[in-house]
Amino acid sequence: MNESSSLAAGGLPPARIQASDGNSSVELASQLPAFAINPWHVMLCISGTIIACENAIVVAIIFYTPNLRTPMFVLIGSLATADLLAGVGLILNFVFQYVIQSETISLITVGFLVASFTASVSSLLAITVDRYLSLYNALTYYSEKTVLCTHMMLIVTWGVSLCLGLLPVLGWNCLDDYSSCSIVRPLTKSNLTLLAASFFFVFIIMLHLYIKICKIVCRHAHQIALQQHFLTASHYVATKKGVSTLAIILGTFGASWLPFAIYCIVGDPEDPSVYTYATLLPATYNSMINPIIYAYRNQEIQRAMWVLFCGCFQSKVSFRSRSPSDV
């Protein structure tokens, strides 16, 4: 078992791993000073710090702004909370690697990271569903039914994430059977395959929904053109911008997570650990980009940010209600 691969997600202490395997990379690592710090761990910690700071601001804005209580912002808050926890998990993982070396801490940390990133990906799916409903059922979107649907999606999102995060803690790990370890120790190959398959399932659903959203947007633009007997430049630009935005959202999500998800299935624990880190690090960048795409570009959140941190507006400023498709 490769030392660095296991440490990428909260593996066991270096001493334990060196004793359990004769891999050449481990022998090289054993020649390093006792407190040598893996540069990949530093990059993951830096990534986690940026993620935590970015998303903490979004969570604070939504929590302290009463006007941001619509289903759309509740789901954005769920995404920011999940990414915030993921960032904190990456920081704790770094600290526990070099301060508290324990099997129990290792399992808790990896379970925390699995739950957080699962909640992040699931929240992205929930936002996609909400955007689709806001266009498909535009006349009935602002109703109690939408609020109920949002609450149900949140319950499912965090319930499933918590269950998947508890699996390695409750025993589905490779601490007692090193031959079953995956590229991310102490997760087993079957556990990591389940997580990767779940990601592909979510990605396919999001891809399907965004294709349908693009069709709805283009159909609306065509209907407007028929009513006005021609397609104005502004309508063409708006339609093109909307489709481009959807492509950027899905492209960013896929580019961040697909390499790691694919390597989780085809990778071998004996492969050089650089492959694990080279695919895992970009996956964390998705949580860094999410607040920019879903929060900071939104006018209501921008205005609430000025109110919260600068006091540039009066607290009674009215917020124009927007649909998720405007985000």
Side-chain angles (χ1 to χ4, degrees), residues 24-38:
S24 59
S25 63
V26 178
E27 294 174 358
L28 178 61
S30 64
Q31 300 173 7
L32 298 175
F35 294 100
I37 296 180
N38 190 322

Side-chain angles (χ1 to χ4, degrees), residues 29-91:
S30 64
Q31 300 173 7
L32 298 175
F35 294 100
I37 296 180
N38 190 322
W40 288 102
H41 297 169
V42 176
M43 287 188 285
L44 286 171
C45 182
I46 293 175
S47 176
T49 302
I50 297 175
I51 291 170
C53 293
E54 280 184 327
N55 288 280
I57 295 175
V58 177
V59 172
I61 290 172
I62 294 178
F63 182 81
Y64 288 106
T65 307
N67 294 305
L68 303 181
R69 293 293 185 270
T70 61
M72 173 182 65
F73 289 111
V74 171
L75 293 175
I76 293 176
S78 172
L79 174 63
T81 301
D83 287 333
L84 169 61
L85 294 176
V88 172
L90 290 173
I91 298 173

Side-chain angles (χ1 to χ4, degrees), residues 6-141:
S6 64
L7 293 179
L12 293 180
R16 172 67 178 273
I17 299 170
Q18 293 165 8
S20 66
D21 196 4
N23 189 290
S24 59
S25 63
V26 178
E27 294 174 358
L28 178 61
S30 64
Q31 300 173 7
L32 298 175
F35 294 100
I37 296 180
N38 190 322
W40 288 102
H41 297 169
V42 176
M43 287 188 285
L44 286 171
C45 182
I46 293 175
S47 176
T49 302
I50 297 175
I51 291 170
C53 293
E54 280 184 327
N55 288 280
I57 295 175
V58 177
V59 172
I61 290 172
I62 294 178
F63 182 81
Y64 288 106
T65 307
N67 294 305
L68 303 181
R69 293 293 185 270
T70 61
M72 173 182 65
F73 289 111
V74 171
L75 293 175
I76 293 176
S78 172
L79 174 63
T81 301
D83 287 333
L84 169 61
L85 294 176
V88 172
L90 290 173
I91 298 173
L92 293 178
N93 178 65
F94 177 83
V95 173
F96 292 148
Q97 287 298 333
Y98 299 98
V99 178
I100 305 175
Q101 299 180 349
S102 165
E103 291 186 0
T104 302
I105 295 296
S106 169
L107 288 174
I108 294 176
T109 302
V110 73
F112 185 81
L113 286 170
V114 168
S116 300
F117 282 116
T118 301
S120 176
V121 173
S122 301
S123 294
L124 288 174
L125 175 60
I127 291 175
T128 305
V129 172
D130 184 62
R131 286 182 168 182
Y132 172 73
L133 293 177
S134 71
L135 293 171
Y136 185 77
N137 298 322
L139 297 178
T140 60
Y141 176 76

Side-chain angles (χ1 to χ4, degrees), residues 292-323:
I292 299 175
I293 294 178
Y294 294 94
Y296 293 133
R297 292 174 59 250
N298 183 274
Q299 293 181 0
E300 280 82 355
I301 290 183
Q302 290 175 3
R303 184 174 302 180
M305 188 185 304
W306 285 109
V307 173
L308 183 62
F309 295 106
C310 302
C312 296
F313 296 95
Q314 297 295 328
S315 59
K316 62 181 179 181
V317 170
S318 61
F319 287 74
R320 182 174 66 87
S321 179
R322 295 165 57 123
S323 69

